[in-house]
C-alpha cells in the first residue's frame, strides 16, 4: 500500500469522513452556510478553516449550527478576526463556551470534542463587512443512517 493510501486510511479512522469547501469570499455582516447537513444528524469531530486572501476588518467571527427545525446556536464564542493574514488557521474546541481558535500562519489545535449537528447548515458569522476569503475542511461521522455533509 502506498504512503498516500495509508495516510488517507489513517485520517479516516481517526477523524471520520472529510469534506472540503473551496476558497470563497466571506459573508458580509451576516451568517452564511459553509456546510449543509443532510439526511440526519452527524458528529463533527473536527473543523479547520484557512485564510486564503488576507481578511480586512471583519470584526468578530464564529460558527453556528442552523437547524432546519429549531433555533440557531453558537458553537463557540467569537474570535476577533480583523486583518488576519493569508495562511491563518482557524478551528474550535467543540466546547460551546470556548472561543474560536486562530493562529497566524502557524499550527492550530484541532482537538474538537465531537459536536452533534442536526439537519440544516453550519454557518460562518461575521460581525462586519470585509474583503478576504477562506477555505474550510470538516471531519465527521454520521450518526443516523443516510446522514452526510456537503459543502454549501
Amino acid at each position: 500500500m502506498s504512503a498516500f493510501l495509508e495516510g488517507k486510511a489513517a485520517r479516516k479512522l481517526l477523524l471520520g469522513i472529510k469534506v472540503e469547501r473551496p476558497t470563497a469570499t466571506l459573508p458580509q455582516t451576516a451568517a452564511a452556510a459553509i456546510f449543509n447537513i443532510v439526511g440526519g444528524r452527524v458528529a463533527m469531530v473536527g473543523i479547520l478553516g484557512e485564510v486564503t486572501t488576507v481578511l480586512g476588518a471583519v470584526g468578530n467571527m464564529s460558527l453556528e449550527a442552523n437547524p432546519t427545525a429549531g433555533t440557531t446556536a453558537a458553537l463557540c464564542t467569537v474570535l476577533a478576526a480583523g486583518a488576519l493574514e493569508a495562511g491563518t488557521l482557524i478551528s474550535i474546541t467543540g466546547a460551546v463556551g470556548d472561543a474560536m481558535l486562530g493562529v497566524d500562519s502557524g499550527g492550530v489545535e484541532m482537538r474538537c470534542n465531537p459536536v452533534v449537528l442536526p439537519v440544516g447548515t453550519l454557518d460562518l458569522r461575521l460581525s462586519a463587512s470585509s474583503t478576504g476569503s477562506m477555505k474550510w475542511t470538516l471531519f465527521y461521522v454520521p450518526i443516523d443512517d443516510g446522514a452526510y455533509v456537503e459543502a454549501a
Side-chain angles (χ1 to χ4, degrees):
M1 185 182 294
S2 74
F4 170 76
L5 292 176
E6 288 173 352
K8 188 174 179 180
R11 181 185 66 235
K12 189 169 185 179
L13 180 64
L14 288 171
L15 298 171
I17 300 166
K18 178 174 89 168
V19 180
E20 294 181 298
R21 181 175 190 266
T23 266
T25 56
L26 301 171
Q28 302 295 301
T29 315
I34 55 175
F35 292 100
N36 297 315
I37 297 85
V38 182
R41 299 163 300 167
V42 301
M44 178 176 70
V45 296
I47 187 161
L48 182 65
E50 182 177 345
V51 175
T52 54
T53 303
V54 66
L55 304 186
V58 300
N60 294 325
M61 176 186 298
S62 63
L63 292 174
E64 300 174 339
N66 184 3
T68 302
T71 304
T72 300
L75 298 180
C76 57
T77 59
V78 299
L79 168 68
L84 294 178
E85 66 187 25
T88 297
L89 299 175
I90 308 289
S91 190
I92 65 171
T93 67
V96 174
D98 287 358
M100 180 178 259
L101 307 170
V103 178
D104 286 344
S105 299
V108 68
E109 291 182 70
M110 193 180 72
R111 58 175 172 86
C112 190
N113 297 313
V115 176
V116 177
L117 299 175
V119 172
T121 60
L122 176 63
D123 296 352
L124 174 65
R125 176 171 294 281
L126 297 177
S127 66
S129 296
S130 183
T131 56
S133 60
M134 294 182 68
K135 66 180 181 178
W136 292 90
T137 304
L138 182 140
F139 298 94
Y140 76 98
V141 175
I143 294 173
D144 297 319
D145 292 340
Y148 64 94
V149 176
E150 63 185 11

CSV table of all heavy atoms in Angstrom, one decimal, residues 23 26 49-59 61 79-90 101-107 130-135:
chain,number,residue,atom,x,y,z
A,23,THR,N,-12.1,27.7,-1.4
A,23,THR,CA,-12.0,29.1,-1.1
A,23,THR,C,-13.2,29.8,-1.6
A,23,THR,O,-13.6,29.6,-2.7
A,23,THR,CB,-10.7,29.7,-1.7
A,23,THR,OG1,-9.7,29.6,-0.7
A,23,THR,CG2,-10.8,31.1,-2.1
A,26,LEU,N,-16.2,36.0,2.0
A,26,LEU,CA,-16.8,35.9,3.3
A,26,LEU,C,-18.2,36.5,3.3
A,26,LEU,O,-18.5,37.4,2.5
A,26,LEU,CB,-16.0,36.8,4.3
A,26,LEU,CG,-14.5,36.3,4.5
A,26,LEU,CD1,-13.8,37.3,5.3
A,26,LEU,CD2,-14.5,35.0,5.1
A,49,GLY,N,-10.4,25.9,9.3
A,49,GLY,CA,-10.5,27.0,8.3
A,49,GLY,C,-9.1,27.5,8.0
A,49,GLY,O,-8.3,27.5,8.8
A,50,GLU,N,-8.9,28.0,6.8
A,50,GLU,CA,-7.7,28.7,6.4
A,50,GLU,C,-7.9,29.9,5.6
A,50,GLU,O,-8.7,29.9,4.6
A,50,GLU,CB,-6.8,27.7,5.6
A,50,GLU,CG,-5.5,28.3,5.2
A,50,GLU,CD,-4.5,27.4,4.5
A,50,GLU,OE1,-4.8,26.2,4.4
A,50,GLU,OE2,-3.6,27.9,3.9
A,51,VAL,N,-7.4,31.0,6.0
A,51,VAL,CA,-7.5,32.3,5.3
A,51,VAL,C,-6.6,32.1,4.0
A,51,VAL,O,-5.5,31.8,4.1
A,51,VAL,CB,-7.0,33.5,6.2
A,51,VAL,CG1,-7.0,34.8,5.4
A,51,VAL,CG2,-7.8,33.6,7.4
A,52,THR,N,-7.3,32.4,2.9
A,52,THR,CA,-6.5,32.3,1.6
A,52,THR,C,-6.2,33.6,1.0
A,52,THR,O,-5.3,33.7,0.2
A,52,THR,CB,-7.3,31.4,0.6
A,52,THR,OG1,-8.6,31.9,0.5
A,52,THR,CG2,-7.4,30.0,1.1
A,53,THR,N,-7.0,34.6,1.3
A,53,THR,CA,-6.8,36.0,1.0
A,53,THR,C,-6.9,36.9,2.2
A,53,THR,O,-8.0,36.7,2.9
A,53,THR,CB,-7.7,36.5,-0.1
A,53,THR,OG1,-7.7,35.6,-1.3
A,53,THR,CG2,-7.4,37.9,-0.6
A,54,VAL,N,-5.9,37.7,2.5
A,54,VAL,CA,-5.9,38.5,3.8
A,54,VAL,C,-7.3,39.1,4.0
A,54,VAL,O,-8.0,39.5,3.1
A,54,VAL,CB,-4.8,39.5,3.7
A,54,VAL,CG1,-5.1,40.6,2.7
A,54,VAL,CG2,-4.7,40.2,5.1
A,55,LEU,N,-7.7,39.0,5.3
A,55,LEU,CA,-9.0,39.5,5.7
A,55,LEU,C,-8.9,41.0,6.1
A,55,LEU,O,-7.9,41.4,6.7
A,55,LEU,CB,-9.6,38.7,6.9
A,55,LEU,CG,-9.7,37.2,6.8
A,55,LEU,CD1,-10.4,36.7,8.0
A,55,LEU,CD2,-10.5,36.8,5.5
A,56,GLY,N,-9.9,41.7,5.7
A,56,GLY,CA,-9.9,43.1,6.1
A,56,GLY,C,-10.5,43.2,7.5
A,56,GLY,O,-10.4,42.2,8.3
A,57,ALA,N,-11.1,44.2,7.9
A,57,ALA,CA,-11.6,44.4,9.3
A,57,ALA,C,-12.9,43.7,9.4
A,57,ALA,O,-14.0,44.3,9.4
A,57,ALA,CB,-11.7,45.9,9.6
A,58,VAL,N,-12.9,42.3,9.5
A,58,VAL,CA,-14.1,41.6,9.5
A,58,VAL,C,-14.8,41.6,10.9
A,58,VAL,O,-16.0,41.1,11.0
A,58,VAL,CB,-13.9,40.1,9.2
A,58,VAL,CG1,-13.3,40.0,7.8
A,58,VAL,CG2,-13.0,39.4,10.2
A,59,GLY,N,-14.2,42.2,11.9
A,59,GLY,CA,-14.8,42.2,13.2
A,59,GLY,C,-14.7,40.8,13.9
A,59,GLY,O,-13.6,40.2,13.8
A,61,MET,N,-15.7,36.7,14.4
A,61,MET,CA,-16.0,35.5,13.6
A,61,MET,C,-16.4,34.4,14.5
A,61,MET,O,-15.8,34.2,15.6
A,61,MET,CB,-14.8,35.1,12.8
A,61,MET,CG,-14.9,33.9,12.0
A,61,MET,SD,-13.3,33.4,11.2
A,61,MET,CE,-13.0,34.8,10.2
A,79,LEU,N,-14.0,35.0,17.7
A,79,LEU,CA,-12.6,35.3,17.6
A,79,LEU,C,-12.5,36.7,16.9
A,79,LEU,O,-13.2,37.0,16.0
A,79,LEU,CB,-12.0,34.3,16.6
A,79,LEU,CG,-10.6,34.6,16.1
A,79,LEU,CD1,-9.6,34.6,17.2
A,79,LEU,CD2,-10.2,33.7,14.9
A,80,ALA,N,-11.8,37.6,17.5
A,80,ALA,CA,-11.5,38.9,16.9
A,80,ALA,C,-10.7,38.7,15.7
A,80,ALA,O,-9.5,38.3,15.8
A,80,ALA,CB,-10.8,39.8,17.9
A,81,ALA,N,-11.3,38.8,14.5
A,81,ALA,CA,-10.7,38.3,13.3
A,81,ALA,C,-10.2,39.4,12.3
A,81,ALA,O,-10.0,39.1,11.2
A,81,ALA,CB,-11.7,37.3,12.6
A,82,GLY,N,-10.1,40.6,12.8
A,82,GLY,CA,-9.7,41.7,11.9
A,82,GLY,C,-8.3,41.5,11.3
A,82,GLY,O,-7.4,41.2,12.1
A,83,ALA,N,-8.2,41.7,10.0
A,83,ALA,CA,-6.9,41.7,9.3
A,83,ALA,C,-6.1,40.4,9.5
A,83,ALA,O,-4.9,40.5,9.7
A,83,ALA,CB,-6.1,42.9,9.7
A,84,LEU,N,-6.7,39.3,9.5
A,84,LEU,CA,-5.9,38.0,9.6
A,84,LEU,C,-5.2,37.8,8.3
A,84,LEU,O,-5.8,38.0,7.2
A,84,LEU,CB,-6.9,36.8,9.9
A,84,LEU,CG,-7.5,36.8,11.3
A,84,LEU,CD1,-8.4,35.6,11.4
A,84,LEU,CD2,-6.5,36.8,12.4
A,85,GLU,N,-4.0,37.4,8.4
A,85,GLU,CA,-3.2,37.2,7.2
A,85,GLU,C,-3.5,35.9,6.5
A,85,GLU,O,-4.0,34.9,7.1
A,85,GLU,CB,-1.7,37.2,7.5
A,85,GLU,CG,-1.2,36.1,8.4
A,85,GLU,CD,0.2,36.2,8.9
A,85,GLU,OE1,0.7,37.4,9.0
A,85,GLU,OE2,0.8,35.2,9.2
A,86,ALA,N,-3.1,35.8,5.2
A,86,ALA,CA,-3.2,34.6,4.4
A,86,ALA,C,-2.4,33.5,5.1
A,86,ALA,O,-1.3,33.7,5.6
A,86,ALA,CB,-2.8,34.7,3.0
A,87,GLY,N,-3.0,32.3,5.3
A,87,GLY,CA,-2.3,31.2,6.0
A,87,GLY,C,-2.8,31.0,7.4
A,87,GLY,O,-2.5,30.0,8.0
A,88,THR,N,-3.5,32.0,7.9
A,88,THR,CA,-4.0,31.9,9.3
A,88,THR,C,-5.0,30.6,9.4
A,88,THR,O,-5.8,30.5,8.5
A,88,THR,CB,-4.8,33.1,9.7
A,88,THR,OG1,-3.9,34.2,9.7
A,88,THR,CG2,-5.4,33.0,11.1
A,89,LEU,N,-4.8,29.8,10.4
A,89,LEU,CA,-5.6,28.6,10.6
A,89,LEU,C,-6.6,28.9,11.7
A,89,LEU,O,-6.3,29.5,12.7
A,89,LEU,CB,-4.8,27.4,10.9
A,89,LEU,CG,-3.7,27.0,9.9
A,89,LEU,CD1,-2.8,25.9,10.4
A,89,LEU,CD2,-4.4,26.6,8.6
A,90,ILE,N,-7.9,28.4,11.5
A,90,ILE,CA,-9.0,28.6,12.4
A,90,ILE,C,-9.6,27.3,12.8
A,90,ILE,O,-9.7,26.4,11.9
A,90,ILE,CB,-10.1,29.5,11.7
A,90,ILE,CG1,-9.6,30.8,11.1
A,90,ILE,CG2,-11.3,29.7,12.6
A,90,ILE,CD1,-9.2,31.8,12.0
A,101,LEU,N,-10.6,29.4,17.8
A,101,LEU,CA,-9.1,29.5,17.8
A,101,LEU,C,-8.6,30.0,16.5
A,101,LEU,O,-9.1,29.6,15.4
A,101,LEU,CB,-8.5,28.1,18.1
A,101,LEU,CG,-9.1,27.3,19.3
A,101,LEU,CD1,-8.6,25.9,19.3
A,101,LEU,CD2,-8.6,28.0,20.6
A,102,GLY,N,-7.6,30.9,16.5
A,102,GLY,CA,-7.0,31.4,15.3
A,102,GLY,C,-5.5,31.7,15.5
A,102,GLY,O,-5.2,32.3,16.5
A,103,VAL,N,-4.7,31.1,14.6
A,103,VAL,CA,-3.2,31.3,14.7
A,103,VAL,C,-2.7,31.8,13.4
A,103,VAL,O,-2.9,31.1,12.4
A,103,VAL,CB,-2.6,30.0,15.1
A,103,VAL,CG1,-1.1,30.2,15.2
A,103,VAL,CG2,-3.1,29.5,16.4
A,104,ASP,N,-2.1,33.0,13.3
A,104,ASP,CA,-1.5,33.5,12.1
A,104,ASP,C,-0.4,32.5,11.6
A,104,ASP,O,0.6,32.3,12.3
A,104,ASP,CB,-0.9,34.9,12.3
A,104,ASP,CG,-1.9,35.9,12.4
A,104,ASP,OD1,-3.1,35.7,12.0
A,104,ASP,OD2,-1.6,37.0,12.9
A,105,SER,N,-0.5,32.0,10.5
A,105,SER,CA,0.5,31.2,9.8
A,105,SER,C,1.2,30.2,10.6
A,105,SER,O,2.4,30.0,10.5
A,105,SER,CB,1.5,32.1,9.0
A,105,SER,OG,0.8,32.9,8.1
A,106,GLY,N,0.6,29.6,11.6
A,106,GLY,CA,1.2,28.6,12.4
A,106,GLY,C,0.2,27.5,12.7
A,106,GLY,O,-0.8,27.4,12.1
A,107,GLY,N,0.6,26.5,13.5
A,107,GLY,CA,-0.3,25.4,13.9
A,107,GLY,C,-1.4,25.9,14.8
A,107,GLY,O,-1.3,26.8,15.5
A,130,SER,N,-16.3,42.9,5.0
A,130,SER,CA,-14.9,42.9,4.7
A,130,SER,C,-14.6,42.2,3.4
A,130,SER,O,-15.4,41.5,2.8
A,130,SER,CB,-14.1,42.3,5.9
A,130,SER,OG,-12.8,42.4,5.6
A,131,THR,N,-13.3,42.4,3.0
A,131,THR,CA,-12.7,41.6,1.9
A,131,THR,C,-12.0,40.4,2.5
A,131,THR,O,-11.8,40.3,3.7
A,131,THR,CB,-11.7,42.5,1.2
A,131,THR,OG1,-10.7,42.9,2.1
A,131,THR,CG2,-12.4,43.7,0.6
A,132,GLY,N,-11.6,39.5,1.6
A,132,GLY,CA,-10.9,38.3,2.0
A,132,GLY,C,-11.7,37.0,1.7
A,132,GLY,O,-12.8,37.1,1.3
A,133,SER,N,-11.0,35.9,1.8
A,133,SER,CA,-11.6,34.6,1.5
A,133,SER,C,-11.0,33.5,2.4
A,133,SER,O,-9.8,33.7,2.9
A,133,SER,CB,-11.5,34.3,0.0
A,133,SER,OG,-10.1,34.2,-0.3
A,134,MET,N,-11.7,32.5,2.6
A,134,MET,CA,-11.3,31.3,3.4
A,134,MET,C,-11.7,30.0,2.7
A,134,MET,O,-12.7,30.0,2.0
A,134,MET,CB,-11.9,31.4,4.8
A,134,MET,CG,-11.4,32.6,5.6
A,134,MET,SD,-12.2,32.5,7.3
A,134,MET,CE,-11.4,31.1,8.0
A,135,LYS,N,-11.0,29.0,3.0
A,135,LYS,CA,-11.4,27.6,2.7
A,135,LYS,C,-11.6,26.8,4.0
A,135,LYS,O,-11.0,27.2,5.0
A,135,LYS,CB,-10.4,26.9,1.8
A,135,LYS,CG,-9.1,26.6,2.4
A,135,LYS,CD,-8.2,25.9,1.4
A,135,LYS,CE,-6.8,25.6,2.0
A,135,LYS,NZ,-6.0,24.8,1.0
